[in-house]
Amino acid sequence: MSSPAPVGICLVTHNSKADLPRCVEAIAKLDPGPMELSIVDCASLDGSAEYVQRIALPGVRTAVHCSERNLGFAVGMNTALAAIRAPFVLLLNPDTRPASDYLARLLQAISERPGLRVGAVTGRLRRADLADGRPILDACGMYLTLGWRHLDRGSDAVDSGQWMDPDRVFGGTGAATLFSREALGDVAVAGEVFDGDFHSYREDAELCFRLQERGWEVLYEPSAGAVHIRRNLPRRRRQMPASVNYHSLKNRYLLRIYHQTVGNLVFTALPTLARDLLALGYVLLVERESLGAYAWLWRHRRRLWRRRREIQGRRTVPAWKIDRWFLRRGIPH
């Protein structure tokens, strides 16, 4: 195996024992492998904490932090990032298995484009399950819709060889995206890369907004492959725990509080309003346990508005350039 790549890998676990062995096995097979591994366990009850404390990969400096409470993905990842010193960091979900050349392909994509200010690069993820014997795509870069949804390109589609061209994209999923530490430091707010108010879900999209607003590019490299199990899907919303749906609803408004401009509000008014009304109706009629999300946003409105002013005050890219991402799914290199 070649010498370690200048990469640290961050994992946040919560009752992830079923997925961890295969994820760690995939990390051990990476060539080149990472130089660091940072794991934060969030109050797991299934033996995950005990498992991660036994992980020892040859030549990989490993740091493990076990929390007695569920910090959520955002705070857990901030904690994991604090232990990484490598110039690049791969965020990885425990239910993701990167191919052995995943790191090499992502790093190569950055090195081959010296003219771009690259903040992140993501690969071509497929699901673990099949449809009629054929693989299903999971994520080929992130895109935005006029209704202020952030979706993964190719998600749920049968893999027929689509999305095979390298692109610049709006963002990459937190399940398996490589970030520049310089970029993460540049967009951090109050020293934190992720906003702890998100707890879980949509925090990767919010980070990508800040990257784009500060002029960092996100690349999609189709030759870098990984498998992602992904259990949380929109069509399974009614089977998800109440806390998952609560944070998902709350966070869709947090995204807009922090990043929607007046021009974008006009530009996306009709589809966004329609989606807001549908969401409110659904919560009132079906998912009343999520009503607290609206109350939370109102109680914290002043603090959230202060954070918005800080984020918007640091942007270096005009709003119209961000608005382009609501009309296109990728820009060829």
Side-chain angles (χ1 to χ4, degrees), residues 159-315:
D159 186 355
S160 301
Q162 63 273 52
W163 304 113
M164 290 303 295
D165 295 323
D167 283 330
R168 283 183 289 162
V169 291
F170 168 75
T173 173
T177 295
L178 181 72
F179 291 88
S180 156
R181 283 301 301 258
E182 180 186 0
L184 294 181
D186 182 56
V187 304
V189 178
E192 295 185 341
V193 172
F194 289 101
D195 180 359
D197 282 334
F198 277 74
H199 191 273
S200 305
Y201 309 103
R202 307 184 195 273
E203 67 292 308
D204 50 2
E206 198 277 324
L207 173 60
C208 291
F209 265 106
R210 281 184 276 135
L211 288 170
Q212 295 287 349
E213 289 165 354
R214 290 283 295 173
W216 293 97
E217 300 281 3
V218 182
L219 306 182
Y220 163 66
E221 177 48 58
S223 68
V227 173
H228 184 204
I229 294 176
R230 193 186 293 269
R231 297 177 177 88
N232 294 336
L233 294 165
R235 66 176 179 270
R236 299 175 185 166
R237 186 177 182 95
R238 297 189 69 171
Q239 286 76 50
M240 292 295 106
S243 61
V244 170
N245 294 332
Y246 168 87
H247 287 299
S248 179
L249 178 66
K250 166 180 64 70
N251 294 348
R252 68 184 293 266
Y253 292 105
L254 278 182
L255 276 178
R256 285 158 57 191
I257 289 171
Y258 293 157
H259 300 287
Q260 189 168 37
T261 62
V262 174
N264 182 274
L265 179 64
V266 175
F267 172 52
T268 64
L270 291 179
T272 302
L273 178 60
R275 186 165 178 256
D276 285 347
L277 292 175
L278 285 172
L280 178 60
Y282 182 82
V283 169
L284 288 172
L285 296 174
V286 179
E287 196 178 281
R288 295 182 65 85
E289 60 270 21
S290 292
L291 277 171
Y294 295 105
W296 186 95
L297 291 164
W298 177 254
R299 286 198 309 272
H300 296 278
R301 63 191 184 280
R302 293 185 178 86
R303 178 171 59 80
L304 299 179
W305 195 255
R306 287 195 298 271
R307 185 178 179 92
R308 172 193 167 82
R309 287 198 297 268
E310 183 172 0
I311 291 172
Q312 292 299 311
R314 300 186 66 246
R315 68 182 302 157

Side-chain angles (χ1 to χ4, degrees), residues 28-139:
K29 291 180 179 178
L30 287 170
D31 187 12
M35 58 187 294
E36 297 174 296
L37 175 62
S38 179
I39 307 172
V40 172
D41 182 77
C42 294
S44 292
L45 300 175
D46 67 343
S48 294
E50 293 77 9
Y51 181 88
V52 297
Q53 290 182 81
R54 296 194 301 268
I55 293 174
L57 302 179
V60 180
R61 186 179 69 85
T62 302
V64 176
H65 174 83
C66 296
S67 172
E68 294 183 356
R69 64 187 181 90
N70 186 0
L71 302 171
F73 180 88
V75 174
M77 192 56 73
N78 285 340
T79 304
L81 284 166
I84 295 293
R85 297 293 177 264
F88 295 97
V89 57
L90 176 67
L91 307 192
L92 203 60
N93 276 6
D95 60 357
T96 304
R97 302 192 295 274
S100 60
D101 62 349
Y102 194 72
L103 279 184
R105 297 285 187 176
L106 298 182
L107 290 169
Q108 183 179 3
I110 296 174
S111 66
E112 289 179 346
R113 294 159 183 88
L116 289 180
R117 190 170 182 244
V118 179
V121 57
T122 192
R124 192 171 189 267
L125 277 61
R126 298 192 303 184
R127 301 268 171 83
D129 46 349
L130 304 175
D132 297 327
R134 291 191 293 172
I136 301 172
L137 291 177
D138 180 73

Side-chain angles (χ1 to χ4, degrees), residues 11-33:
L11 279 173
V12 175
T13 61
H14 175 66
N15 294 333
S16 309
K17 180 65 180 301
D19 296 316
L20 275 167
R22 298 190 71 179
C23 179
V24 173
E25 180 182 0
I27 293 173
K29 291 180 179 178
L30 287 170
D31 187 12

